[in-house]
């Protein structure tokens, strides 16, 4: 039996290792078009590799996937976060959980994960072909029925390979044309658009506060029901941080349709509402009476941001709390929990580029990762219309789909 895995990223390598582990007699060939395996793993998590996320409830885990979550619930029952942790630790790679539940190798070095996976590829005996691309993939024409192989692959070096099954783990593509070869096999392709990006705000002065972060803000998009809460970071080009990145993922298609021109609504105080804030302000007027607003910030906002917001609504820094008029109080409430900024464009992480879109999950049996259109073809990773928010979720989807495809693709 001969099995070909196309793509040397996280999903492809994990699929190849799993395939060889469960089918040791099979010849497993891993084909990678570049000169490096696991290039995205290398740069992920700032070079530390956010392996997975410490969410051990599959019902909760699927909520972190803007696309593919409901379908992944079945897949996670076969290979879960716990299974990922146990797998790496069984290979001598201990993981740690940080305060936000992201999980990294204790070495804080993505090379640890790369070394683990490449060592397993060699230990299990996976044949690796680097700098090799697949020019064509089509059903094997075998009228004589002399061989069992179902698929024929033609490589860029002229070699032809026959395979009993093929696992496709080629990753996402920024352009729909990158999926043409899969569409030609009969698969439905969901057009790719960027996911996980920051909001550019070229005309907003808040960019002058670059480097300022708020631990808990709520970000939403005007005219949409979508919102996200969490840390927010002000950058030289606009806004980033987990709250913004998460929102960009869930709103990826909507924002693309708006050509990335939209109004961002910010509640700088998280989920505090108008009435709750009004009560806090009245209390502060009594407690801090003659203290200037510039010297008494009761909301624990970074001081630079606090002064910026007061300037934005034209409240003098020397204004004392007890001097706040009714109109000024209303302006303060509005700026703190209904602030508005114009976004014009996005900035994606080029090394960690994530798209939504790819092979439609309607074409895939999620308990085997086999194509419903082409028996003997299996899929794993971001080539599918699956994407998660930042925090290790995309890697978890890669490990899970790679494991299932590898185990059952043989």
């Amino acid at each position: 039996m001969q099995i070909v895995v196309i793509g040397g990223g996280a999903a492809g390598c994990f699929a190849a290792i799993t395939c060889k582990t469960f089918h040791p007699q099979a010849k497993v060939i891993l084909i990678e078009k570049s000169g490096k395996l696991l290039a995205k793993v290398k740069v992920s998590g700032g070079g530390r590799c956010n392996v997975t996320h410490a969410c051990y409830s599959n019902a909760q885990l699927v909520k972190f996937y803007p696309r593919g979550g409901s379908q992944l619930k079945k897949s996670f029952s076969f290979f879960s976060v716990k299974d990922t942790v146990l797998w790496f630790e069984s290979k001598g790679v201990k993981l740690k959980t940080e305060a936000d539940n992201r999980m990294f190798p204790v070495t804080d070095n993505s090379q640890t994960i790369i070394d683990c996976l490449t060592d397993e590829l060699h230990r299990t005996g996976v044949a690796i072909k680097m700098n090799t691309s697949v020019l064509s993939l089509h059903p094997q024409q075998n009228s004589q029925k002399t061989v069992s192989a179902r698929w024929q692959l033609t490589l860029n070096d002229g070699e032809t390979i026959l395979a009993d099954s093929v696992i496709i783990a080629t990753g996402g593509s920024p352009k729909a044309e990158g999926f043409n070869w899969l569409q030609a096999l009969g698969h439905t392709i969901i057009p790719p658009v960027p996911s996980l990006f920051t909001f550019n705000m070229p005309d907003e002065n808040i960019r002058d506060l670059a480097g300022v972060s708020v631990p808990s803000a709520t970000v939403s998009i005007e005219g949409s029901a979508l919102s996200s809460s969490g840390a927010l970071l002000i950058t030289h080009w606009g806004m980033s941080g987990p709250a913004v990145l998460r929102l960009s993922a869930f709103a990826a298609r909507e924002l693309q349709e708006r050509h990335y021109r939209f109004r961002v609504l910010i509640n700088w105080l998280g989920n505090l509402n108008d009435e709750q804030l009004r009560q806090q302000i009245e209390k502060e007027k009594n407690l801090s009476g003659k203290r200037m607003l510039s010297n008494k910030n009761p909301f624990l906002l970074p001081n630079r941001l606090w002064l910026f917001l007061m300037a934005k609504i034209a409240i003098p820094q020397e204004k004392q709390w007890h001097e706040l008029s009714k109109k000024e109080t209303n302006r303060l409430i509005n700026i703190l929990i209904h602030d508005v900024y114009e976004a014009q464009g996005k900035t994606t992480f080029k090394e960690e580029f994530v798209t939504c879109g790819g092979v439609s999950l309607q074409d895939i049996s999620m308990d085997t990762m086999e194509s419903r259109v082409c028996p003997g073809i299996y899929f794993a990773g971001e080539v599918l219309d699956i994407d998660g928010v930042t925090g290790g979720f995309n890697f978890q989807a890669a490990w899970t789909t790679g494991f299932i495809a590898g185990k059952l693709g043989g």
Side-chain angles (χ1 to χ4, degrees):
M1 178 181 288
Q2 186 153 275
I3 302 155
V4 174
V5 181
I6 307 175
C13 287
F14 206 66
I17 292 166
T18 305
C19 192
K20 192 64 176 172
T21 300
F22 282 93
H23 309 282
Q25 302 308 314
K27 181 174 183 181
V28 179
I29 304 171
L30 176 64
I31 297 175
E32 166 56 35
K33 66 180 180 180
S34 74
K36 287 184 179 180
L37 295 176
L38 302 160
K40 199 169 182 179
V41 171
K42 180 67 174 177
V43 299
S44 69
R48 296 197 297 149
C49 187
N50 185 181
V51 175
T52 187
H53 198 93
C55 179
Y56 296 99
S57 163
N58 291 343
Q60 291 298 316
L61 183 62
V62 298
K63 295 179 180 178
F64 293 95
Y65 294 85
R67 284 146 293 269
S70 59
Q71 295 92 332
L72 278 172
K73 190 172 183 180
K74 177 185 287 187
S75 304
F76 287 143
S77 69
F78 294 104
F79 196 84
S80 65
V81 170
K82 182 179 179 181
D83 293 317
T84 296
V85 175
L86 290 174
W87 190 91
F88 278 102
E89 292 193 345
S90 74
K91 310 303 177 188
V93 177
K94 184 145 182 78
L95 304 180
K96 62 176 180 176
T97 304
E98 300 199 338
D100 58 3
N101 285 329
R102 292 183 301 163
M103 300 190 76
F104 295 87
V106 294
T107 59
D108 278 330
N109 190 339
S110 60
Q111 192 62 43
T112 301
I113 303 300
I114 294 171
D115 291 344
C116 172
L117 294 171
T118 52
D119 287 349
E120 282 300 298
L121 286 169
H122 295 305
R123 186 188 69 79
T124 56
V126 173
I128 303 171
K129 295 180 72 69
M130 304 294 293
N131 298 302
T132 303
S133 55
V134 177
L135 297 184
S136 68
L137 170 63
H138 55 79
Q140 161 68 2
Q141 301 300 318
N142 182 28
S143 59
Q144 302 293 320
K145 301 294 183 184
T146 55
V147 294
S148 63
R150 289 186 283 181
W151 296 94
Q152 179 174 309
L153 300 87
T154 302
L155 309 183
N156 62 335
D157 59 4
E159 182 182 359
T160 296
I161 297 179
L162 299 180
D164 297 277
S165 58
V166 178
I167 300 172
I168 298 174
T170 47
S173 170
K175 295 182 179 180
E177 292 76 17
F179 297 104
N180 282 351
W181 65 297
L182 299 175
Q183 190 172 35
L185 290 173
H187 295 98
T188 300
I189 302 300
I190 308 300
V193 299
S195 181
L196 293 183
F197 49 84
T198 62
F199 298 165
N200 289 2
M201 300 173 174
D203 297 333
E204 296 287 1
N205 293 333
I206 197 165
R207 295 182 301 118
D208 295 338
L209 305 184
V212 170
S213 63
V214 176
S216 182
T218 295
V219 187
S220 54
I221 297 165
E222 188 177 69
S224 168
L226 296 169
S227 68
S228 174
S229 297
L232 183 151
L233 173 67
I234 300 168
T235 71
H236 289 292
W237 54 86
M239 293 182 183
S240 185
V244 168
L245 294 174
R246 190 178 302 117
L247 182 59
S248 78
F250 279 93
R253 293 205 174 277
E254 182 174 335
L255 296 183
Q256 191 263 348
E257 290 169 0
R258 298 191 190 192
H259 304 289
Y260 304 103
R261 298 180 70 92
F262 54 97
R263 282 157 63 91
V264 182
L265 311 180
I266 308 289
N267 182 338
W268 294 107
L269 305 181
N271 295 315
L272 208 64
N273 63 33
D274 290 53
E275 186 54 37
Q276 291 169 329
L277 179 54
R278 190 175 298 277
Q279 290 176 6
Q280 282 199 23
I281 291 174
E282 292 304 320
K283 182 179 179 181
E284 202 60 40
K285 286 181 182 180
N286 294 325
L287 290 176
S288 301
K290 294 186 177 181
R291 293 190 65 178
M292 292 187 294
L293 271 75
S294 58
N295 293 333
K296 184 63 170 69
N297 164 16
F299 307 110
L300 303 179
L301 291 173
N303 195 55
R304 287 174 64 199
L305 175 61
W306 175 244
L307 296 177
F308 172 85
L309 294 176
M310 283 195 297
K312 189 175 177 180
I313 56 174
I315 292 182
Q317 292 188 18
E318 61 274 13
K319 172 79 69 170
Q320 295 178 355
W321 274 98
H322 73 99
E323 295 176 329
L324 274 179
S325 68
K326 185 176 180 179
K327 286 185 177 181
E328 287 172 329
T329 298
N330 289 338
R331 294 208 304 271
L332 185 59
I333 290 171
N334 199 56
I335 198 76
L336 286 172
I337 61 179
H338 302 292
D339 203 4
V340 182
Y341 296 90
E342 295 281 346
Q344 301 176 45
K346 59 176 173 41
T347 297
T348 54
F349 299 107
K350 290 181 174 59
E351 296 86 359
E352 299 183 58
F353 187 76
V354 174
T355 59
C356 62
V359 176
S360 171
L361 299 187
Q362 292 185 354
D363 290 350
I364 308 298
S365 174
M366 296 299 287
D367 53 354
T368 64
M369 303 314 299
E370 186 173 18
S371 168
R372 299 182 192 274
V373 179
C374 300
I377 297 288
Y378 296 76
F379 289 92
E382 289 180 23
V383 67
L384 295 163
D385 185 27
I386 293 174
D387 63 292
V389 300
T390 184
F393 301 103
N394 286 301
F395 273 133
Q396 182 57 50
W399 311 134
T400 293
T401 56
F403 178 88
I404 296 171
K407 181 178 180 179
L408 300 175

